Amino acid sequence: MREYAIAAIPADGIGPEVIAAGLEVLRVLDQRDGGFRLKVEEFPWGSEFYKRHGVLMPADGLDRLRSFDAIYFGAVGAPDVPDHVTLWGLRLPICQGFDQYANVRPTRILKGLTAPLRHCGPGDLDWVIVRENSEGEYAGHGGRAHRGFPEEVATEVAIFTRAGVSRIMRYAFRLAQSRPRKLLTVVTKSNAQRHGMVMWDEIAAEVAADFPDVTWDKMLVDAMTTRMVLKPASLDTIVATNLHADILSDLAAALAGSLGIAPTANIDPERRFPSMFEPIHGSAFDITGKGIANPIATFWTGAQMLEHLGEGAAAARLMRAVERVTEAGILTPDLGGKATTREVTDAVCEALRGENV
């Protein structure tokens, strides 16, 4: 039997609720399939850990995670801890420390869901957004001077390297090449940002020469938002910078129905380190403890994790079960339904136990 070591970091807000639901579904799946087993160890890191210890994870946190096959992450952030402290204290150190440079965010309208766009249903919106996840606008370089004085200044330096842009561009072209439409859209803002973004465009053209079977085009990020809303069927695979893809993927999730269904994978394509899988909805303290958090994003990112581990058949079975449940109208309030987290989780587990999934 194939065994995989999974580090679970539920962290903050609804994170523990959805990670518990995700692990329950994954256990049903590995029991049914019988060919693999997930060995899970949970780590209590996050904002509560920070309030007790002054850090979001221990100094040896990365060393403790290094031996795992994958990381299953909930959400980080709390109302009484500054957002930049939580982000730079847990999630980003893991992404950057393990060089998870490809952030992959699939989006599609699941069966049974009514998307905000008129005349847009399942099959009309089926995208994968590839986000450069190691540098760009989130490189963490810059500083502040003359704090508290009228002349106070803050700088935020975006860093684009040939190595970083080339590797994410190749990843995106390969991903586009593997999808039926073989279509890639490269997003920049090279009309206004004439250095890093122009280099991004130039490298895209260089890499494209190695993928003659992939049709590709370029969009400025502001025009891209319009295209996503007005011509969703014209898009398939999308690659963008750390900041641009972060914003566009939230728009994509809303257009598909809710942030509550949106997954993401932080991938080290070379598999030197564990990759990390998480829903993108955040800690959502406004609904924490109410039992209504949507677990679908966590199920979907669990499917991404299984696919990364080589369990593609199990991943596909999980997504079929999820869509059987959404098609049956068992939906949490963010999708217009009245179901609880527990009810959606039970329904997916039951679908997985069924003979025909």
Side-chain angles (χ1 to χ4, degrees):
M1 178 181 291
R2 300 175 298 279
E3 185 172 277
Y4 305 105
I6 307 299
I9 308 177
D12 302 333
I14 62 171
E17 300 173 44
V18 295
I19 288 296
L23 290 174
E24 185 175 343
V25 164
L26 290 171
R27 288 189 186 100
V28 170
L29 191 61
D30 73 14
Q31 289 166 7
R32 172 187 164 141
D33 277 37
F36 69 93
R37 179 172 175 265
L38 302 180
K39 184 179 180 182
V40 179
E41 181 176 349
E42 191 167 309
F43 293 86
W45 303 338
S47 294
E48 290 303 316
F49 190 90
Y50 173 80
K51 293 171 191 176
R52 293 194 302 271
H53 304 286
V55 292
L56 278 99
M57 69 175 176
D60 65 346
L62 292 184
D63 289 334
R64 293 170 65 178
L65 294 174
R66 196 178 305 271
S67 62
F68 285 86
D69 295 300
I71 302 165
Y72 203 30
F73 190 90
V76 66
D80 52 352
V81 182
D83 286 342
H84 69 278
V85 172
T86 53
L87 184 64
W88 284 96
L90 186 59
R91 185 186 175 276
L92 284 183
I94 295 173
C95 289
Q96 295 184 353
F98 288 150
D99 203 18
Q100 297 165 348
Y101 66 83
N103 180 282
V104 182
R105 298 187 171 188
T107 303
R108 72 173 186 266
I109 300 174
L110 301 176
K111 293 177 181 178
L113 300 190
T114 301
L117 295 178
R118 289 180 300 170
H119 314 303
C120 190
D124 297 322
L125 191 161
D126 187 355
W127 306 331
V128 178
I129 297 177
V130 177
R131 169 185 173 188
E132 199 292 312
N133 207 34
S134 67
E135 53 179 40
E137 305 89 347
Y138 296 174
H141 285 257
R144 293 174 65 179
H146 311 299
R147 286 176 182 250
F149 291 95
E151 64 271 24
E152 182 172 2
V153 61
T155 61
E156 199 75 47
V157 181
I159 294 178
F160 301 97
T161 65
R162 173 164 286 274
V165 177
S166 295
R167 66 183 185 176
I168 198 63
M169 206 62 70
R170 289 194 176 277
Y171 184 94
F173 269 95
R174 284 195 298 269
L175 181 58
Q177 190 179 50
S178 72
R179 287 168 59 84
R181 296 177 66 187
K182 300 184 187 301
L183 174 64
L184 177 67
T185 298
V186 177
V187 178
T188 69
K189 188 58 180 168
S190 51
N191 60 341
Q193 295 176 293
R194 57 182 180 165
H195 303 300
M197 293 285 86
V198 170
M199 186 179 78
W200 183 281
D201 285 347
E202 292 171 353
I203 291 174
E206 293 169 10
V207 172
D210 294 332
F211 296 87
D213 57 333
V214 175
T215 300
W216 74 288
D217 60 3
K218 294 190 301 182
M219 291 293 295
L220 297 177
V221 65
D222 45 348
M224 184 63 173
T225 61
T226 303
R227 182 174 169 185
M228 289 169 69
V229 173
L230 298 181
K231 298 180 179 179
S234 73
L235 296 163
D236 187 81
T237 309
I238 300 160
V239 62
T241 70
N242 214 330
L243 173 63
H244 293 164
D246 191 8
I247 296 168
L248 293 177
S249 57
D250 276 20
L251 172 59
L255 295 177
S258 169
L259 279 177
I261 63 171
T264 191
N266 303 285
I267 302 291
D268 165 28
E270 284 73 42
R271 298 176 182 266
R272 300 157 296 170
F273 307 105
S275 294
M276 182 164 67
F277 303 84
E278 59 176 324
I280 73 171
H281 50 55
S283 50
F285 268 82
D286 58 323
I287 60 169
T288 297
K290 295 182 178 180
I292 58 172
N294 192 339
I296 288 178
T298 309
F299 299 160
W300 196 342
T301 201
Q304 287 184 288
M305 181 170 69
L306 290 172
E307 184 132 9
H308 180 74
L309 294 172
E311 301 295 340
R317 184 173 292 116
L318 174 52
M319 290 310 298
R320 288 196 298 271
V322 166
E323 291 206 76
R324 177 174 291 186
V325 169
T326 58
E327 192 171 24
I330 305 171
L331 308 173
T332 45
D334 59 302
L335 292 172
K338 296 181 179 180
T340 64
T341 309
R342 176 77 268 156
E343 288 168 339
V344 173
T345 303
D346 287 345
V348 172
C349 289
E350 186 60 32
L352 284 171
R353 294 188 185 101
E355 291 295 325
N356 300 317
V357 176

